[in-house]
Amino acid sequence: MSDTIAILPGDGIGPEVTRAAVRVLTQVRPDLTCEQAVVGGAALRAGMPALSGQARVLCDRSAGILFGSVGLPEFDGKPLAERPEYALFLLRRDYELYANVRPVRVFPGLEDASSLKAELVRGLDLVVVRELTGGIYYGQPKEQRVVDGIEEAVDTMLYRAPEIERIARVAFELARTRRKRVTSVDKQNILETSRLWRRVVERVAREYPDVALDHLLVDNAAMQLVRRPADFDVIVTENMFGDILSDEAAILTGSIGTLPSASLGTKRTASGQFGLYEPISGSAPDIAGQGIANPTAAILSAAMLLRHSLNDDANAQRIERAVERAYALGARTAELASETPPLGTDAFAATVLANLR
Ligand code: IPM
Ligand code: MG
């Protein structure tokens, strides 16, 4: 029986970059059944919830989710449950996708696109492992209210030791396949959750004596990332710090449009680990519909889907190599173009397709 992949293009540039990724995915794996459902602002506009029932049913019977992006300015100011982002919020929570893996690499030849000096980002190869189902995103109470006639709002940052333990393990296991270094990021000088975080990470570290562990406070980590980015190997951190630091890490590469991500949890299917795969970049409504968005992140997200959810490392690598070749040959989308005329989304995808071996 062929595997079903849930395609959730979402908003902004989501549909165009996802279409490009599906072209590449179905080229290497024509046996897959790719089925699409509407989520995010697109669903809200159609009078459905951000995560429509149709999307849920599709995800339930899929091996993995290829997600575009959600978020549109017209929903600014709405409560979370009426915002496009709620789709992602629910998918992460309901499938317990607690481990968000965000690899950050600079493609050779793109060093000059970075806002940092090229020599600082040359050889940059790090992974942010972000806890995705806990912390301030999900803790209760979480509300706006009026107390004694004064408006106030509260978000709650809560962590339980097992949540920290399992994400720490993901980081240490991953480090073992790489340069064997984990940097844990917290704010233990101020936050109780961070003190627990640090204690638990140290406890887990004892099971991994071959992996070097160090700790950074989040403000310092933000600074070190632009000062000596190539020194990092695996960064593990809680949900919101990871959200912020992964955008910072991503732009070191010159374009946030090149970075994929995988969100993994406990659910397994006959074919592998169930997961959600999406570009780190947002919906970029300012350039949506123009056909100029960089599809690299979406294409590489499809490669991660093959690797983790379909146990198909061979085809994941084929796609990754094809993207590398495209860059090596000078293929550039508008935000990266220097000398060469920029390629549109579809033309870039066509170059990747032409470089599949
Ligand atoms: C991300 C995004 C999301 C987040 C938004 C869209 C809810 O910024 O995946 O990094 O904050 O987690
Ligand atoms: Mg983010």
Side-chain angles (χ1 to χ4, degrees), residues 92 100 102 130 137 239-240 242-247 256 280-282:
R92 290 170 178 176
N100 185 222
R102 302 186 156 183
R130 167 186 173 194
Y137 274 53
N239 203 344
M240 190 169 66
D243 178 44
I244 298 166
L245 292 181
S246 60
D247 265 30
I256 197 168
I280 291 189
S281 56

Side-chain angles (χ1 to χ4, degrees), residues 125-271:
D125 179 5
L126 63 84
V127 185
V128 179
V129 175
R130 167 186 173 194
E131 200 293 322
L132 202 60
T133 50
I136 202 163
Y137 274 53
Y138 292 94
Q140 292 295 337
K142 181 182 191 66
E143 64 186 0
Q144 298 193 42
R145 58 201 179 199
V146 177
V147 175
D148 297 334
I150 294 175
E151 287 177 285
E152 62 174 35
V154 60
D155 291 287
T156 303
M157 194 168 197
L158 173 83
Y159 269 107
R160 296 188 178 86
E163 292 175 288
I164 303 170
E165 225 172 278
R166 64 184 183 179
I167 193 72
R169 272 209 181 90
V170 170
F172 283 105
E173 292 290 339
L174 182 62
R176 272 192 171 158
T177 69
R178 300 172 43 92
R179 303 199 307 279
K180 300 194 169 54
R181 291 197 44 196
V182 170
T183 302
S184 172
V185 174
D186 61 39
K187 187 70 185 173
Q188 70 104 34
N189 51 351
I190 293 293
L191 300 179
E192 293 301 334
T193 42
S194 283
R195 280 192 274 273
L196 177 67
W197 180 277
R198 199 174 276 214
R199 211 159 63 232
V200 173
V201 169
E202 277 179 347
R203 201 148 73 208
V204 174
R206 283 187 221 125
E207 297 167 36
Y208 299 87
D210 51 320
V211 177
L213 169 69
D214 62 349
H215 302 276
L216 283 181
L217 295 175
V218 62
D219 47 352
N220 188 19
M223 182 171 72
Q224 299 305 335
L225 264 174
V226 290
R227 200 171 147 249
R228 48 173 187 93
D231 286 357
F232 290 95
D233 183 14
V234 176
I235 297 174
V236 63
T237 191
E238 68 88 39
N239 203 344
M240 190 169 66
F241 297 163
D243 178 44
I244 298 166
L245 292 181
S246 60
D247 265 30
E248 189 193 6
I251 197 60
L252 297 174
T253 67
S255 169
I256 197 168
T258 61
L259 278 301
S261 78
S263 301
L264 306 167
T266 43
K267 181 177 169 182
R268 297 194 182 261
T269 70
S271 310

Side-chain angles (χ1 to χ4, degrees), residues 267-298:
K267 181 177 169 182
R268 297 194 182 261
T269 70
S271 310
Q273 201 176 359
F274 181 79
L276 180 151
Y277 304 85
E278 58 175 328
I280 291 189
S281 56
S283 52
D286 53 322
I287 59 161
Q290 298 175 33
I292 60 168
N294 188 341
T296 302

